[in-house]
Amino acid sequence: MTLAETLFGSTSQGEYSLALMNGELRPCPVGREIAIHSPTDGTLLGQVAALTHDEIDAALASAAGAQPAWAERPVEQRAAVLERAADLLLEHAPTVARCLEREIAKRRSDSLDEVRRSADFLRFTAEEGKRLSGESFFGDAFPGFKRNKIGFTYRVPLGVVLAIPPFNYPVNLAISKIAPALVAGNAVVLKPPTQGSLSALLMTVLLLEAGVPPEVLQFVTGRGSDIGDYLVTHPRVGMITFTGSSATGRRIARLAGMVPLLMELGGKDAAVVLRDADMALAAKDIVSGAFSYSGQRCTAVKRVLVTEPAAEALLHELLPRVKRLTVGRPEDDADVTPLINHEAADYVQELIDDALARGARLLVGNQREGNLLWPTLLDGVTEAMRLAWEEPFGPVLPILRVRDAAEAVRIANASEYGLQAAIFSRDVNAALRIAARLDVGTVQLNGKTARGPDHFPFLGTKSSGLGAQGIRYSLEAMTRPKSIVFNLAEQAGLEEVA
Ligand code: NAP
Ligand code: G3P
């Protein structure tokens, strides 16, 4: 019986208590089980193992030992494994999506989208991996050198890539790291988010079933607060690709030392709305951008900076749309579902309470049942309120009214974050002038802030990250150039050549 049949056959809803070690599924060692509960109703969904340092050492040693042979495989074979993995993900999409729905309370349609998007990501990366190439150079382009010095480069893998994704995309943001790393010839150690480990295990088993050698893709579970420091400082780690909070990212950057880092961190994406904007379009995209997956997206719209002349017209379009959002269970495909845990809900509530206490006007929401929060819209938010600056990662949207675009840029740039921003205006020239002044990785013009499409560069400035993801960008971040230089004999005529 294959791994996938074992896992998908017996407990296909992620209700298992297993550890995956070097391609073998074993019962969780007694006393080291980490229980995973549903954020929706608290039921026990399954257990994963808290790995010991010795088990981590063994996983990393196995990955490092197998990586050279994996890199020696023709890239078209590595690419074919990714293609097969995409097929298997689609074949098992309902099961993996159901696990996401139950484990991270992602609504059914978004859970299916995450799996399908991951299959697309695998296929696109398989193709891009086959086109990863270098450059060539002639010496005489630089003073003092001649054309008999010819150089060329090709790209080589970095060795063992440590991949650490966050809870909100435990499959897609794992694949966005694993796929480029593998096709480029690296081995991967995946440390999934604890709340998301069950879904990540289903995905990992399918990658192994597709033909990734078990030594080359290691699955290391355990709470980040327990094993994170050990992992990021491990001598066998050749590169770290991390997506998560800015606080954790900073900690890793301090500890990791001389390894390449690729980090996608927190965000406080602003939607700037000018008076000439298409208000219906702006409202539609702002609501979708702010409240999908209950605001638990780094690229969520987390503040609206609207000029006074535009404010009433925008609110006229925004308010009914927020009120129409459905609230409930992920299996009912509700627009807004329970947050990942009570601590997260407490934090969002704290920010709402602070804003209201300091004079913000509640337009709709501020209702809570457990870790289910109703979509909340607050007008008249000022710079004196925590909600103007902190990242709620929940279904709350502050409206800040500004005098003009200059004030919008000042407030947008005053944030510690610099992931994305959106500008809504019919005047493209004005929008581009504003975009040029925004200190962020990406500016969306007349559209909501978002990471996709996945071949686009995805990056943040300041506390929002280091380096750029996006398929080709990730491939380059997980490889380095190898330089070869021919020092040919001084060029002579061809007469002596017979
Ligand atoms: P998080 O608490 O930073 O955790 C992210 C990942 O890091 C998880 O796998 C976590 O494992 C692990 N981790 C925790 N402490 C660690 C440590 N000391 N060393 C190494 N790994 C450690 O973030 P989250 O709660 O999952 O996600 C929410 C945050 O991530 C938000 O700030 C959001 O903006 C940001 N985010 C950014 C992006 C982006 O693309 N820019 C995408 C998604 C989320 P455990 O689960 O075991 O703690
Ligand atoms: O928070 C996850 C981040 O990567 C956003 O992804 O595709 O929802 O914009 P997306």
Side-chain angles (χ1 to χ4, degrees), residues 8-29:
F8 286 82
S10 57
T11 55
S12 62
Q13 296 312 317
E15 294 140 357
Y16 45 74
S17 175
L18 292 167
L20 177 64
M21 296 186 187
N22 245 352
E24 271 180 60
L25 284 171
R26 303 174 191 161
C28 273

Side-chain angles (χ1 to χ4, degrees), residues 117 168-169 173 243 296-299 393 449-452 458:
R117 177 180 184 181
N168 63 343
Y169 282 90
L173 279 172
T243 300
Q296 296 175 113
R297 292 168 50 243
C298 59
T299 51
F393 230 56
T449 46
R451 170 174 46 127
F458 180 61

Side-chain angles (χ1 to χ4, degrees), residues 161-324:
V161 170
L162 173 58
I164 307 177
F167 78 82
N168 63 343
Y169 282 90
V171 170
N172 180 260
L173 279 172
I175 288 286
S176 77
K177 302 170 186 312
I178 294 167
L182 288 178
V183 79
N186 297 287
V188 175
V189 173
L190 171 66
K191 192 330 258 181
T194 295
Q195 194 76 27
S197 295
L198 301 176
S199 307
L201 177 54
L202 294 178
M203 170 208 73
T204 303
V205 160
L206 292 175
L207 283 164
L208 297 178
E209 174 103 358
V212 179
E215 303 80 6
V216 166
L217 175 56
Q218 297 288 336
F219 188 73
V220 170
T221 48
R223 296 197 185 288
S225 51
D226 294 339
I227 63 170
D229 291 0
Y230 190 73
L231 274 170
V232 303
T233 57
H234 201 286
R236 289 187 185 276
V237 168
M239 188 268 179
I240 300 172
T241 168
F242 170 80
T243 300
S245 67
S246 300
T248 305
R250 277 192 288 268
R251 181 184 182 91
I252 293 171
R254 272 200 310 275
L255 290 171
M258 292 281 280
V259 290
L261 299 176
L262 179 58
M263 293 201 162
E264 303 294 344
L265 305 177
K268 187 71 178 178
D269 293 2
V272 177
V273 183
L274 305 181
R275 66 174 148 201
D276 69 340
D278 174 339
M279 293 301 170
L281 166 70
K284 177 178 73 64
D285 269 41
I286 286 170
V287 169
S288 165
F291 296 104
S292 60
Y293 191 38
S294 312
Q296 296 175 113
R297 292 168 50 243
C298 59
T299 51
V301 172
K302 296 186 183 123
R303 49 188 174 154
V304 173
L305 305 177
V306 59
T307 58
E308 272 298 351
E312 292 311 319
L314 176 65
L315 287 176
H316 176 72
E317 295 290 344
L318 264 183
L319 201 47
R321 286 177 169 80
V322 178
K323 288 179 176 176
R324 279 202 297 272

